[in-house]
């Protein structure tokens, strides 16, 4: 599966942004989807994940209550709605697809098989 992330940009603290990740192929619903981010000089970190059906989600603590992950299996797309953005949210955001190694959801980078190219989110103070 090929993933194409979009929706990043330059926003001010407190603003909202929605990222999208479009997947190719007809098997999108078979994959657990995740969003990760990598800030300058830092390692890639987990942000959010969603199960194949969309019924289960899981977030890293720093984004709980501000970010919402969702998916539309008919459109082969996963979204990350971000509100109340903070300067520390500045990073390149990556979407990822995980297959049979993930039972429901996973926050682990190694569990994901396919990665998009990333979209830059910059939050100014």
């Amino acid at each position: 599966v090929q993933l194409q992330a979009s929706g990043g940009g330059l926003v001010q603290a407190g603003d909202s942004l929605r990222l999208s990740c479009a997947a190719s192929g007809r098997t999108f619903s078979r994959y657990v989807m995740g969003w990760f981010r990598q800030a300058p000089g830092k390692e890639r970190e987990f942000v959010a994940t969603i199960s194949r059906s969309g019924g289960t989600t899981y977030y890293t603590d720093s984004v709980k209550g501000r970010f919402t992950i969702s998916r539309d299996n008919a459109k082969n797309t996963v979204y990350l709605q971000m509100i109340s953005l903070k300067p520390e949210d500045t990073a390149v955001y990556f979407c990822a697809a995980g297959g049979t190694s993930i039972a429901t959801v996973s926050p682990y980078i190694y569990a994901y098989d396919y990665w998009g190219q990333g979209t830059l989110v910059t939050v100014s103070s």
Side-chain angles (χ1 to χ4, degrees):
V1 61
Q2 292 184 324
L3 304 174
Q4 181 73 36
S6 62
L10 173 63
V11 297
Q12 294 186 333
D15 283 352
S16 300
L17 207 58
R18 188 177 81 157
L19 305 183
S20 299
C21 176
S24 64
R26 295 175 290 179
T27 59
F28 178 71
S29 61
R30 296 181 184 179
Y31 293 95
V32 173
M33 299 300 296
W35 285 99
F36 294 78
R37 66 186 179 186
Q38 187 165 14
K42 295 187 177 182
E43 294 185 351
R44 192 170 300 189
E45 65 174 5
F46 165 74
V47 176
T49 178
I50 188 167
S51 62
R52 295 171 179 83
S53 68
T56 301
T57 58
Y58 180 68
Y59 301 89
T60 192
D61 286 346
S62 63
V63 308
K64 285 180 181 177
R66 300 189 300 120
F67 290 12
T68 302
I69 188 172
S70 62
R71 66 189 296 163
D72 186 336
N73 286 343
K75 295 183 178 180
N76 284 8
T77 303
V78 62
Y79 305 97
L80 186 67
Q81 178 68 50
M82 306 183 292
I83 66 170
S84 302
L85 282 161
K86 304 175 181 180
E88 50 263 46
D89 294 319
T90 294
V92 176
Y93 283 71
F94 299 88
C95 59
T100 57
S101 65
I102 305 175
T104 306
V105 293
S106 175
Y108 303 112
I109 292 175
Y110 62 77
Y112 291 83
D113 305 306
Y114 305 97
W115 293 81
Q117 86 291 357
T119 185
L120 177 62
V121 173
T122 304
V123 185
S124 63
S125 58

